[in-house]
Amino acid sequence: AAVAVLTGKANCPYYAKAELLADYLQTNLPNFRVHKITQHPDKWEQWLHDIRETNGWEHNQSPIIWRELLDRGGKGQLLGGLNDFLEYAQQYYGITSMMLSEEMLDIAEENLQEHLEIVKEDEEIKSLIKPMQIWITSASVPICYHLIPLLASGEVFGMTTEISIHLLDTEQFKEILRSIVMEAEDMAFPLLRSISEHTKIDQAFIDADIIIVLDDVLLNLEVQSLENSIREVSEICQVYAPLIEKNAKSEVKVISSGKTFANLKATMLRTYGPSIRPENIIAIATSWESAAKAMLARKLNMNTAGVKDVIVWGNITGSNYIDLSHAKLYGYDCAIRGPANFHRPLLNMIYDSEWIHSEFLSAQSTLSSRVSHCTGILPAHAIATVLRYWYHGSPSEEIISVGILSEGQFCIPEGIIFSMPVRFQNGNWEVMTELEINETTQKVLERLSHELVQEKLVALKEISEMHPYEAE
């Protein structure tokens, strides 16, 4: 079956004449089909240029008509313009068109109005499907590069949720942002409504549903003091927080990640942005969870996915404690087996207790190195995983470690972002306060809490000396 593809400017009288002839052929010939494409007059020249470049055709006016041997597919055979189509119809089918010029102009005007109505309807339908607005700060870093495909694939928010991604960074990284935008557009994700770069800070976070803060501050005590690094974090948050309050949606979710000061960034955003819902500011600890699980899985010679409920307490990118007292093994190859949900306590299966205390728990620097030197795949996956849990719920009964604003759970002081065990359900999270912790763990939490309280006090002191500010 032949398919004639008619394309032209919506207000072109010659396209109107070709269209009427094509409609007549389709009505009266059993194997003739027509497919029509109209373009707005303002967009016609660019569209014609693109179609010529794609197919290697020479044709410079409206309409342009080609013949396809398959139903709207296959290799196209260029017929040409109106006169070529009239000749084709006369030669192959013995049919011609006697339409007068006045009729052509009337139909051309009708075509234009119909095209404008269709465009308007499409725009109205798109406006009803409002995409989720996602802002990413320090978007030139590798984490962002790996995160975009995860967000745009549909696996995080669902296959019916469109997203718009906004990349924010300083002017010096504008070319990197532009390259990321072009590459993401070339990938043509069906759910990615738009992606754009931003370098003007006053425009940041407009209509944001989600803000992912990736800013890292140099943490090298040979170069500058810890107090100076903390001051930099505080200054960044003092800029971001008021903009989030002013520009973002009232229910905005703020995620702190990166390689340095994840907890402090979240704490200071809460401090300088008191109207941001405290339960909507979290810090990501999943990278540490994953690295610890992988280390345990290698020791046990099993799949990392089978290690569950490892808890990360405290300062995610600083002093933290990996708690194995609730950890479980699923699918572990041992003498006792059961169904898919059967598990064994991890500590019961590692008989080398000396390894736990001498190597694993003292391997803080090793884990820290693995997390901080990763190329971006691991933290990007961690952010995407936590977002998916936040919107769709975490696996039933599974423990997830997240840095959240303490309200005194586990005797942790209020007012600091502290990593602790939570579960996600119904679009929210709740702390798993039912978990029992032993005396040793409690003492560790006291020490970690003290460090985070001191870190916050230093941040407030440093920034108040430079810019007097009445913090909470």
Side-chain angles (χ1 to χ4, degrees):
V3 177
V5 182
L6 271 67
T7 67
K9 288 191 291 186
N11 63 345
C12 174
Y14 302 107
Y15 172 82
K17 185 167 185 176
E19 178 189 32
L20 197 68
L21 175 58
D23 286 343
Y24 179 86
L25 293 174
Q26 180 170 253
T27 302
N28 292 278
L29 300 174
N31 294 323
F32 187 91
R33 295 290 179 268
V34 62
H35 175 57
K36 307 172 193 175
I37 303 173
T38 59
Q39 293 292 331
H40 191 281
D42 295 342
K43 298 181 179 180
W44 167 252
E45 292 299 331
Q46 182 61 49
W47 190 90
L48 179 61
H49 173 270
D50 292 344
I51 201 73
R52 289 201 316 257
E53 288 290 311
T54 301
N55 293 282
W57 290 337
E58 292 291 337
H59 188 82
N60 299 311
Q61 59 193 24
S62 173
I64 178 171
I65 305 165
W66 67 87
R67 183 172 178 268
E68 292 180 354
L69 299 180
L70 302 174
D71 186 11
R72 292 176 60 184
K75 184 173 176 57
Q77 177 188 357
L78 178 66
L79 297 179
L82 172 62
N83 290 336
D84 300 296
F85 186 51
L86 291 173
E87 183 179 340
Y88 169 80
Q90 177 68 45
Q91 182 177 347
Y92 279 87
Y93 305 113
I95 297 172
T96 190
S97 171
M98 304 300 293
M99 181 187 289
L100 302 176
S101 297
E102 189 173 330
E103 291 178 281
M104 291 163 58
L105 292 172
D106 289 342
I107 292 177
E109 180 62 28
E110 290 176 8
N111 281 343
L112 178 60
Q113 293 305 315
E114 182 180 354
H115 176 81
L116 293 175
E117 287 177 10
I118 291 172
V119 169
K120 184 180 178 182
E121 286 178 8
D122 288 343
E123 289 176 350
E124 287 176 351
I125 291 171
K126 285 184 178 180
S127 70
L128 294 175
I129 308 172
K130 293 182 179 178
M132 183 178 290
Q133 304 292 328
I134 303 171
W135 284 77
I136 305 175
T137 72
S138 288
S140 62
V141 301
I143 296 174
C144 177
Y145 186 80
H146 292 289
L147 180 59
I148 290 171
L150 299 177
L151 297 177
S153 67
E155 293 183 11
V156 175
F157 304 108
M159 300 306 295
T160 59
T161 302
E162 291 190 350
I163 64 173
S164 288
I165 297 177
H166 305 266
L167 308 178
L168 178 66
D169 215 319
T170 56
E171 185 70 27
Q172 71 183 99
F173 296 110
K174 188 169 184 177
E175 288 304 314
I176 295 177
L177 297 185
R178 189 164 291 167
S179 298
I180 295 173
V181 167
M182 292 176 63
E183 196 166 347
E185 288 175 341
D186 289 345
M187 293 180 77
F189 294 104
L191 296 174
L192 183 59
R193 174 79 68 88
S194 64
I195 181 168
S196 54
E197 77 266 13
H198 303 266
T199 55
K200 295 182 179 178
I201 191 64
D202 58 325
Q203 299 175 359
F205 313 129
I206 292 175
D207 292 330
D209 293 290
I210 295 169
I211 298 170
I212 301 169
V213 178
L214 299 180
D215 299 73
D216 275 324
V217 169
L218 178 68
L219 186 56
N220 186 342
L221 299 182
E222 295 179 1
V223 176
Q224 67 176 5
S225 68
L226 177 62
E227 288 75 13
N228 284 340
S229 297
I230 289 175
R231 184 178 67 245
E232 284 188 41
V233 174
S234 198
E235 287 178 330
I236 291 170
C237 295
Q238 198 176 25
V239 172
Y240 284 168
L243 288 169
I244 294 172
E245 291 183 307
K246 176 185 175 184
N247 295 338
K249 293 177 182 172
S250 60
E251 297 295 310
V252 64
K253 290 177 167 61
V254 182
I255 288 178
S256 174
S257 185
K259 298 178 181 179
T260 61
F261 297 107
N263 291 55
L264 184 62
K265 284 183 289 188
T267 298
M268 301 317 292
L269 287 171
R270 168 59 186 154
T271 301
Y272 296 131
S275 69
I276 305 171
R277 293 184 61 185
E279 62 270 30
N280 280 3
I281 302 177
I282 68 172
I284 301 293
T286 314
S287 296
W288 278 88
E289 275 188 11
S290 300
K293 289 174 180 177
M295 189 173 178
L296 291 162
R298 283 191 292 273
K299 174 67 175 177
L300 292 162
N301 193 28
M302 65 175 293
N303 190 328
T304 304
V307 184
K308 306 287 187 184
D309 299 347
V310 172
I311 303 173
V312 179
W313 296 95
N315 191 354
I316 295 162
T317 51
S319 297
N320 59 48
Y321 173 58
I322 309 295
D323 182 2
L324 305 181
S325 60
H326 300 275
K328 303 178 183 68
L329 301 179
Y330 290 80
Y332 181 56
D333 188 11
C334 62
I336 302 175
R337 303 199 178 199
N341 61 351
F342 176 74
H343 60 266
R344 303 296 306 276
L346 181 144
L347 291 178
N348 289 359
M349 307 312 294
I350 296 183
Y351 301 106
D352 187 357
S353 59
E354 185 178 340
W355 179 86
I356 291 287
H357 294 93
S358 65
E359 290 190 41
F360 181 79
L361 294 181
S362 64
Q364 183 87 9
S365 59
T366 303
L367 288 175
S368 178
S369 177
R370 290 180 64 85
V371 173
S372 62
H373 288 90
C374 62
T375 60
I377 298 174
L378 177 59
H381 180 264
I383 293 168
T385 299
V386 171
L387 274 172
R388 185 174 75 249
Y389 290 165
W390 209 343
Y391 279 85
H392 300 291
S394 54
S396 177
E397 301 303 318
E398 189 170 326
I399 298 173
I400 311 297
S401 302
V402 174
I404 58 150
L405 187 68
S406 170
E407 296 180 348
Q409 303 97 331
F410 304 107
C411 298
I412 297 165
E414 297 182 18
I416 56 173
I417 298 291
F418 196 94
S419 181
M420 60 183 80
V422 306
R423 66 167 64 87
F424 290 90
Q425 57 185 11
N426 302 321
N428 300 300
W429 52 259
E430 63 176 3
V431 180
M432 301 178 71
T433 52
E434 72 276 11
L435 292 180
E436 295 182 4
I437 58 175
N438 57 38
E439 187 176 343
T440 302
T441 300
Q442 189 64 63
K443 288 181 179 179
V444 173
L445 298 191
E446 290 174 10
R447 176 177 58 82
L448 298 177
S449 300
H450 178 75
E451 289 183 11
L452 281 168
V453 169
Q454 291 303 308
E455 190 176 78
K456 179 181 178 181
L457 290 175
V458 170
L460 292 173
K461 176 178 179 292
E462 290 289 332
I463 203 69
S464 64
E465 290 177 354
M466 294 188 63
H467 310 286
Y469 185 90
E470 293 182 7
E472 281 189 333

